[in-house]
Amino acid sequence: MSRKNRESEHNLPTLADVAKRAEVSTATVSRCLNSPGQVQEATRIKVMTAVHDLGYSPNFGARALAARRTNTIGAIIPTMENAIFARAIQAFQEELHASGVTLLVSSSSYSPEIEEEQIRTLVARGADALLLIGHDRSQAIYEFLENRGVPVLISWAYDPTMARLSIGFDNRRAMAGLAKEVLRLGHRHIGIISAECAGNDRARARVDGVRDAMREHGLDPEMAHLIETPYSIENGGKALRRMTEHYPRPTAVICGNDVLAVGAVQMARELGLRVPGDVSITGFDDIELARVVDPPLTTVHVPHREMGRQAARLLVDMVAGHPARESVRLETTLRLRGTLGPPPAK
């Protein structure tokens, strides 16, 4: 180990530092980290606040190895319920396995707080590197990872304005392309069903893409009826119902992903609306469900498996000390199917 690395290791906060900050014993800190259910809530909060403030992580896996390698890479995805993430992570795991690397994966349920806990846990367990979805998270957690020397690759988002290495696609540009096709067909009353945009740069970019297309067609983007809701088929349906109560009723509803769009298609049918005769509906991702829903869903195809494979290769290289110099942009493809047509005749 180099002198610089030894000094860095020496400067890292210890269990004793956390105990001193929280004014408890080291045994209490250890119990709080390993068996939090055995610690009173007030004590646990005090200890975890100290852990957060100091940037402490036990990192027992890496410390146990002279080479400071565990041959494990962690990935944190927003949800395991969306097939788009499952497909990419499967390809990611297959590529890692071919390189002799084990994958540790967890789901944050779109919660920044949960994701931060998982990042710290994976680092504590000695993960050599992390794959994260999107750029949105606190500067403090990025600094924590940098101080620990843990390589990070951002996926599902390509934004040339961001300094951190990423592999993904331009969400804004991809959604703008779909929205332009909707507008080209003559739609002027637009609805948007999106995931909650706070803390989700992919969702925000897709909404911005629709607004970009509207501006290009001389429309006021603020006239689009936007509903933000957690991703689920049920919530997509509820949002579509709410939109039908809005005047003027949208003739085209652009959804932030296929799951929301399928829910919207189902609700339109329940309301007696023809798709696309009375309302056109589009998605984003091109999961299998998009092709089997009736009618098949117009959407944006995302190269999820290729993204997973390339992400694995990039992270293996990063761990070996050979990081890529530039972020990687993958291309999306518009899939025109049965849910998109011209607006109904007046």
Side-chain angles (χ1 to χ4, degrees):
M1 183 182 297
S2 68
R3 178 182 176 184
K4 181 178 179 180
N5 286 340
R6 286 196 302 271
E7 290 176 351
S8 177
E9 175 74 11
H10 178 73
N11 292 331
L12 292 176
T14 66
L15 195 75
D17 293 330
V18 175
K20 183 177 179 180
R21 173 69 69 94
E23 299 180 328
V24 298
S25 68
T26 55
T28 298
V29 175
S30 180
R31 192 159 52 247
C32 185
L33 294 172
N34 297 309
S35 303
Q38 298 178 14
V39 181
Q40 292 185 353
E41 180 67 8
T43 301
R44 189 190 70 80
I45 292 173
K46 189 162 58 173
V47 169
M48 294 312 296
T49 298
V51 166
H52 181 274
D53 290 345
L54 293 172
Y56 173 75
S57 175
N59 204 12
F60 57 80
R63 289 177 180 172
L65 299 174
R68 296 189 61 79
R69 296 274 184 85
T70 62
N71 282 329
T72 61
I73 285 178
I76 304 175
I77 60 176
T79 177
M80 295 185 182
E81 295 182 344
N82 190 337
I84 195 73
F85 293 119
R87 288 288 184 84
I89 290 298
Q90 178 64 30
F92 183 66
Q93 189 275 332
E94 291 168 359
E95 196 69 30
L96 289 180
H97 181 263
S99 299
V101 177
T102 299
L103 172 64
L104 302 175
V105 62
S106 58
S107 168
S108 67
S109 300
Y110 288 97
S111 166
E113 293 77 18
I114 292 176
E115 187 196 51
E116 183 168 324
E117 289 177 11
Q118 292 169 339
I119 287 173
R120 294 180 182 277
T121 298
L122 287 170
V123 172
R125 295 187 178 278
D128 294 328
L130 293 180
L131 179 75
L132 302 176
I133 309 297
H135 290 276
D136 271 9
R137 56 192 51 83
S138 71
Q139 182 61 29
I141 200 65
Y142 280 125
E143 290 175 355
F144 166 79
L145 291 166
E146 290 168 5
N147 291 336
R148 289 282 164 174
V150 178
V152 173
L153 179 63
I154 305 300
S155 62
W156 247 272
Y158 173 83
D159 185 343
T161 67
M162 294 292 184
R164 291 182 178 84
L165 194 69
S166 66
I167 179 169
F169 48 92
D170 189 328
N171 285 273
R172 185 168 183 163
R173 179 169 170 261
M175 184 61 96
L178 173 59
K180 288 176 185 177
E181 182 64 21
V182 170
L183 295 168
R184 185 190 68 79
L185 289 172
H187 293 279
R188 293 298 179 265
H189 301 301
I190 306 298
I192 308 171
I193 302 178
S194 170
E196 295 166 333
C197 292
N200 188 331
D201 54 343
R202 289 95 57 214
R204 287 199 309 275
R206 294 176 193 181
V207 171
D208 287 341
V210 177
R211 290 171 172 164
D212 289 344
M214 293 181 70
R215 289 190 193 94
E216 189 172 315
H217 279 74
L219 301 176
D220 181 358
E222 296 304 318
M223 295 301 293
H225 185 192
L226 171 64
I227 294 179
E228 297 181 29
T229 184
Y231 283 138
S232 76
I233 290 176
E234 181 182 6
N235 286 336
K238 290 179 178 178
L240 190 280
R241 179 186 288 275
R242 287 168 56 192
M243 283 193 170
T244 62
E245 299 167 355
H246 184 269
Y247 183 81
R249 190 178 74 191
T251 62
V253 177
I254 299 173
C255 299
N257 78 352
D258 292 343
V259 172
L260 292 171
V262 168
V265 170
Q266 290 184 339
M267 179 56 70
R269 184 179 296 115
E270 289 181 23
L271 295 173
L273 297 174
R274 296 170 300 146
V275 178
D278 296 314
V279 59
S280 289
I281 297 173
T282 66
F284 196 106
D285 285 338
D286 197 24
I287 61 176
E288 286 187 0
L289 192 58
R291 297 187 287 277
V292 300
V293 68
D294 183 26
L297 188 65
T298 288
T299 187
V300 174
H301 175 77
V302 172
H304 42 271
R305 287 190 60 84
E306 182 61 23
M307 182 165 48
R309 283 191 290 266
Q310 290 198 39
R313 295 175 199 144
L314 284 170
L315 276 174
V316 169
D317 286 345
M318 292 167 75
V319 171
H322 308 292
R325 295 182 179 179
E326 295 182 349
S327 294
V328 178
R329 186 176 80 178
L330 301 174
E331 294 300 325
T332 59
T333 309
L334 190 58
R335 296 284 195 252
L336 298 175
R337 300 193 181 108
T339 58
L340 175 61
K346 296 181 180 179

